Amino acid sequence: MSVKRIGVLTSGGDAPGMNPCVRAVVRTALYHGIECYGIRRGWNGLISGDIVRLDETKVSHIINRGGTILYTARSKEFMTEEGQKRAVSTCHFLGLDSVVAIGGDGTFRGALALSKYGINVVCIPATIDNDICCSNYSIGFDTAANTAIECIDKLRDTMQSHERCSVVEVMGRNAGFLAMYVGLAVGATAVLVPEEPIDFERDVIEKIRQARFNGFTHYMIVVAEGAGSAADIAQQIKDAIDLDPRVTVLGHIQRGGVPTGRDRVNATKMGYLAVEKLLEGKTNRIICTSNGAFTDVDIDEGLSMVKRIQQTEVDVLQAMTGI
């Protein structure tokens, strides 16, 4: 497959490491003599033609920047057949051979729709939720986890001083991978995730009691937003055992910040591989990691997979909290 001109976009929620990934796509394309264009504001930009030519200068010194220089958005119009056809028309008008889409599940479904019209696409997972089923790792997860861990470590200092219970809500509307990882890293008293059924007495109250029996007077409850509101969890604790928990919702602070080394390196490798796969004639692919190695899968196949919380993590958490 001859590749002369490609577009790159970031779509959906932003994730630290998107900029290093864009940089890698652009530099790899230029290395092979391919023109590269940035599509701004996700699929909306492809519909409206909001596109800028990218070169070495445009992507210089962005490897250490959070967010995305291409901006990002969710597009309701692109979910319609009319919107998709307008995006295809933009590709044909500008002579884009291929599109590299960086984002999460919704971004990939958009790329799949575009591929039905004959546009070559390659997807790269970038979401702090780490919920791309075909990939062990998504760009942004490591930075978001470290941000949450740093915030909770600081919160623990004041919590210990006042002998308090703290309920911290982290991101994860449909997935608890971030909450589970962070909970294990900070030594949480309890972790609540949407994938696991919650018995409040067993999973929260009894763990607080056990911690008290073990001599602790401060307690940390980590909640994925999809498992319940931190405020509601705090109120249930107060009603059950008359503690007065303090609630902290970390929110979008987890999306920002300088990407970690791991996110920078993984983003760079994935961006490089996306262009290489196009040059090999492979299209409609998702670049992913499996058992520590970088690989690629068909978009249809990748979107049909299921990803679950590892039982090992659940078992470790149970052992660490003494229940």
Side-chain angles (χ1 to χ4, degrees):
M1 181 175 70
S2 176
V3 182
K4 297 181 179 179
R5 186 175 295 140
I6 66 174
V8 57
L9 61 83
T10 54
S11 178
D14 63 311
M18 281 183 163
N19 278 330
C21 193
V22 170
R23 171 182 177 272
V25 170
V26 174
R27 292 204 167 188
T28 306
L30 295 175
Y31 176 76
H32 289 290
I34 302 169
E35 293 179 19
C36 194
Y37 291 81
I39 302 164
R40 296 189 290 197
R41 299 174 179 85
W43 297 118
N44 278 333
L46 194 57
I47 291 173
S48 64
D50 187 3
I51 293 175
V52 59
R53 186 166 185 167
L54 297 176
D55 56 22
E56 289 94 339
T57 303
K58 293 285 180 62
V59 297
S60 179
H61 305 301
I62 68 170
I63 194 169
N64 61 325
R65 288 172 57 184
T68 165
I69 63 166
L70 296 179
Y71 308 106
T72 184
R74 292 181 171 88
S75 175
K76 290 184 178 180
E77 186 178 0
F78 191 74
M79 297 177 185
T80 67
E81 184 177 357
E82 181 183 353
Q84 292 163 12
K85 287 182 177 179
R86 286 185 62 190
V88 171
S89 294
T90 301
C91 289
H92 290 160
F93 177 71
L94 296 175
L96 296 180
D97 301 307
S98 312
V99 173
V100 176
I102 306 167
D105 185 86
T107 303
F108 296 176
R109 294 187 187 280
L112 180 61
L114 199 65
S115 73
K116 305 297 185 185
Y117 294 93
I119 305 299
N120 300 314
V121 296
V122 174
C123 301
I124 300 174
T127 164
I128 68 169
D129 290 343
N130 200 26
D131 59 348
I132 300 302
C133 297
C134 61
S135 186
N136 296 145
Y137 188 82
S138 296
I139 296 167
F141 176 76
D142 191 62
T143 305
N146 278 282
T147 296
I149 291 165
E150 181 181 1
C151 290
I152 292 172
D153 283 347
K154 291 179 178 179
L155 182 62
R156 186 187 295 279
D157 291 341
T158 184
M159 184 179 63
Q160 280 184 307
S161 298
H162 292 274
E163 299 183 313
R164 283 179 175 153
C165 175
S166 184
V167 182
V168 180
E169 184 180 306
V170 301
M171 282 188 162
R173 186 173 59 225
N174 299 311
F177 301 105
L178 182 63
M180 183 65 75
Y181 187 92
V182 169
L184 285 169
V186 301
T189 308
V191 180
L192 305 180
V193 297
E195 294 90 339
E196 295 291 318
I198 299 171
D199 180 324
F200 198 79
E201 175 68 23
R202 178 197 66 198
D203 297 330
V204 179
I205 301 304
E206 190 58 30
K207 289 187 176 181
I208 291 174
R209 289 194 183 108
Q210 288 295 326
R212 183 66 185 90
F213 291 150
N214 290 331
F216 295 97
T217 56
H218 59 277
Y219 319 100
M220 174 66 67
I221 314 299
V222 175
V223 185
E225 60 183 318
S229 158
D232 291 344
I233 299 298
Q235 187 60 52
Q236 290 182 65
I237 293 172
K238 182 175 175 61
D239 293 342
I241 51 178
D242 202 31
L243 279 179
D244 189 17
R246 294 296 186 266
V247 173
T248 302
V249 179
L250 296 182
H252 286 78
I253 192 173
Q254 296 158 96
R255 290 197 184 280
V258 173
T260 61
R262 184 183 183 191
D263 274 329
R264 296 186 202 189
V265 171
N266 282 351
T268 300
K269 289 180 178 179
M270 286 179 162
Y272 167 83
L273 288 171
V275 178
E276 291 295 319
K277 293 304 173 185
L278 288 171
L279 289 171
E280 292 172 11
K282 299 180 76 172
T283 184
N284 304 338
R285 313 296 291 179
I286 299 174
I287 305 299
C288 52
T289 62
S290 178
N291 299 318
F294 289 91
T295 184
D296 59 284
V297 299
D298 179 81
I299 296 178
D300 273 308
E301 180 185 351
L303 289 174
S304 68
M305 293 180 181
V306 177
K307 187 175 185 179
R308 296 183 173 87
I309 295 286
Q310 293 182 8
Q311 186 59 43
T312 301
E313 292 190 343
V314 176
D315 294 342
V316 170
L317 183 66
Q318 292 290 78
M320 294 301 103
T321 53
I323 302 297

